Every structure is written in C-alpha cells, then in structure tokens.
Amino acid sequence: MAETFPEKLAAYGIDYTDAMTRMDDDEDLYKRLALKYLDNKNYTDLVAAMEAKDYDSAYAAAHTLKGVSGNLSFDQLYKVSSALCEALKQGEPQAAEGMMADLKAAQDKILTGLVAWQEA
C-alpha cells in the first residue's frame, strides 16, 4: 500500500495532520510557511552562539526555533529545541551542548523533507 502524503512527511518529522489543524486546513498557507523555513536562520544563529559560548544569544535563537518548529508542527525539532532552550534557561550550557547533535539531526531531517516536498 502506498504511503499517504502525511505519512511521507512524518518520516521527516513533519506532522502534517497537526499542521492542518493549526492552519484551518489551508494546505497552500501551510506549504508556503513550511517552505519558507528553508531560509530560516535561527538554527545557524544558535550553532554560532553555542560555539561562541554566548548563551544569552543561544537561548534567544533556541527559543525562536522552538516557537517556529512548534507552529509548523516539526515535531522532533520542536522537542529537541524545547529541551535545549530549557537547559539554557536553567543555566546548564553543558546539557545544552550535549543536545546539539540531536538538534542537528532533527534540523537536517526537516530540511531534507522540505526540499523533497518543494521538488515534488
């Protein structure tokens, strides 16, 4: 049996069904907003801030990434960015640094899925 469109996106960590609830079933709006994420710089800002040990800027980028990923129903990216944001808020930068590999994996998966969707 062929995968449904929501199942295909779920493989990339995108909860299309949840997104449609958020977007009042406006598929065009969701696609436009989701694909706009390809230009989002919060992940790169977060990585740069963490490398510079600028944890205030890292928190701001993580918090924004959490909000964007939550609003777009990017489940795994939301979960990891939320945990990372909380670690930074609690003053635990080592814990946050330990989450960066998981964050990168979630980010890469989302980008791969969005590119595939864009090219389909």
Side-chain angles (χ1 to χ4, degrees):
M1 184 173 206
E3 276 185 312
T4 65
F5 183 66
E7 289 171 336
K8 287 179 184 179
L9 289 181
Y12 298 106
I14 301 170
D15 187 339
Y16 185 78
T17 304
D18 181 62
M20 286 298 91
T21 300
R22 290 175 187 278
M23 304 289 162
D24 281 338
D25 293 320
D26 188 336
E27 294 176 11
D28 292 332
L29 173 64
Y30 181 62
K31 183 175 184 180
R32 191 170 62 252
L33 293 174
L35 293 180
K36 190 174 180 139
Y37 182 80
L38 291 169
D39 298 323
N40 190 292
K41 302 296 179 210
N42 289 299
Y43 173 78
T44 54
D45 291 348
L46 173 56
V47 169
M50 290 295 288
E51 288 173 355
K53 303 208 183 304
D54 178 356
Y55 300 121
D56 289 335
S57 294
Y59 173 78
H63 191 267
T64 304
L65 184 61
K66 176 181 98 167
V68 170
S69 61
N71 285 330
L72 293 173
S73 300
F74 296 167
D75 288 346
Q76 189 59 30
L77 186 59
Y78 173 76
K79 289 174 188 169
V80 178
S81 60
S82 292
L84 196 145
C85 187
E86 188 60 28
L88 290 169
K89 183 178 178 181
Q90 298 299 323
E92 300 172 359
Q94 281 112 355
E97 291 198 17
M99 297 175 203
M100 291 302 291
D102 289 341
L103 185 71
K104 181 182 183 336
Q107 170 78 359
D108 289 348
K109 199 173 202 182
I110 288 292
L111 294 179
T112 300
L114 292 174
V115 169
W117 188 9
Q118 184 177 44
E119 294 175 352

